[in-house]
Amino acid sequence: MGIVSPGFQGRRRSAEPALPPGQYLTEDFPVLSAGPTPKVPLDTWEFVLSTETGAEFRWNWAELTGLPQETPTVDLHCVTRWSKLGTSWQGVSLDLLLDGVDTAARYALVHSYGGYTTNLPLDDLRGGRAWVAHRYDGAPLAAEHGGPARLLVPHLYLWKSAKWVRGIRLLVDDQPGFWETAGYHDYGDPWREQRYQGD
Ligand SMILES: Nc1nc2c(c(=O)[nH]1)N[C@H]1C(S)=C(S)[C@@H](COP(=O)(O)O)O[C@H]1N2
Ligand SMILES: [Mo]
């Protein structure tokens, strides 16, 4: 222990790498979409959380943006090997959206406008690690990057951060999404380099 305060050297210790294995740094913000960018008007936009019992919790645009907001600064890691560090977002924590939702489910299947899906354990949406994000770098989130709103779950590979997010279904049994069905890893931890099934 030195006499400097723990935060003195920034939030990473020098021994900790900023980049997960097999990743390279990029300054720009690549766009990766499996299909066309859906147009989602704000006056019909909604986000729906449903549970394994069929209970539904809905937020329209005014309701979502009227909730307490967080401004996470996070590193992004795409399975195609680019990483972008220190990105700034604004959105609503999944902890808040899940607060008071009574469920015995352990899995989540995220749905997007346009039909994209991706799955993750429900636990990974908790603990200050996931947001419905609608602003990026001080401006409304661009449509190509998932606007009006996208899931942001940066501790997993970026394919888990569903753009144009429309809802999340809480499930008792794990159900693979779009890329997971195509052979990508079910969990996708960049630090364990879980790119493909079997990694
Ligand atoms: N709805 C939807 N979300 C998506 C995708 C997609 O094709 N459709 N691609 C995923 C993948 S593979 C990546 S790497 C990131 C890319 O986000 P970006 O285009 O903002 O860089 O979005 C993820 N979320
Ligand atoms: Mo990706």
Side-chain angles (χ1 to χ4, degrees):
M1 260 315 218
I3 53 166
V4 293
S5 69
F8 183 73
Q9 294 174 20
R11 74 195 165 84
R12 276 186 205 99
R13 293 181 209 178
S14 48
E16 256 179 280
L19 276 183
Q23 296 295 110
Y24 66 86
L25 271 182
T26 184
E27 293 297 325
D28 57 7
F29 195 172
V31 172
L32 283 98
S33 304
T37 295
K39 284 208 177 73
V40 191
L42 293 185
D43 58 348
T44 55
W45 183 92
E46 65 173 356
F47 177 77
V48 184
L49 201 56
S50 65
T51 76
E52 74 281 9
T53 64
E56 287 188 340
F57 301 82
R58 294 171 181 269
W59 293 267
N60 65 25
W61 188 253
E63 289 165 342
L64 186 97
T65 55
L67 289 172
Q69 304 287 307
E70 293 188 359
T71 53
T73 296
V74 299
D75 301 338
L76 308 178
H77 308 296
C78 175
V79 74
T80 63
R81 299 184 181 272
W82 59 267
S83 289
K84 183 172 176 60
L85 304 185
T87 62
S88 306
W89 300 81
Q90 181 186 313
V92 177
S93 171
L94 260 295
D95 290 304
L96 183 62
L97 298 173
L98 288 164
D99 190 38
V101 174
D102 186 26
T103 181
R106 288 178 49 214
Y107 300 96
L109 186 61
V110 187
H111 292 258
S112 294
Y113 289 98
Y116 184 85
T117 54
T118 188
N119 61 304
L120 70 171
L122 174 55
D123 252 4
D124 286 76
L125 292 175
R126 302 189 190 273
R129 296 184 293 168
W131 298 267
V132 173
H134 57 91
R135 292 177 70 81
Y136 170 75
D137 215 7
L141 180 58
E144 59 181 5
H145 286 301
R150 78 183 294 171
L151 186 69
L152 179 64
V153 51
H155 70 286
L156 301 176
Y157 280 124
L158 198 58
W159 88 76
K160 301 286 185 179
S161 291
K163 305 199 280 190
W164 316 298
V165 68
R166 167 181 212 156
I168 299 179
R169 281 188 208 150
L170 306 185
L171 302 170
V172 170
D173 298 307
D174 193 16
Q175 197 179 308
F178 179 80
W179 286 117
E180 294 84 5
T181 304
Y184 283 82
H185 199 277
D186 193 63
Y187 186 62
D189 180 349
W191 297 95
R192 288 187 278 171
E193 215 172 346
Q194 294 173 336
R195 299 177 191 277
Y196 308 106
Q197 272 169 42
D199 283 351

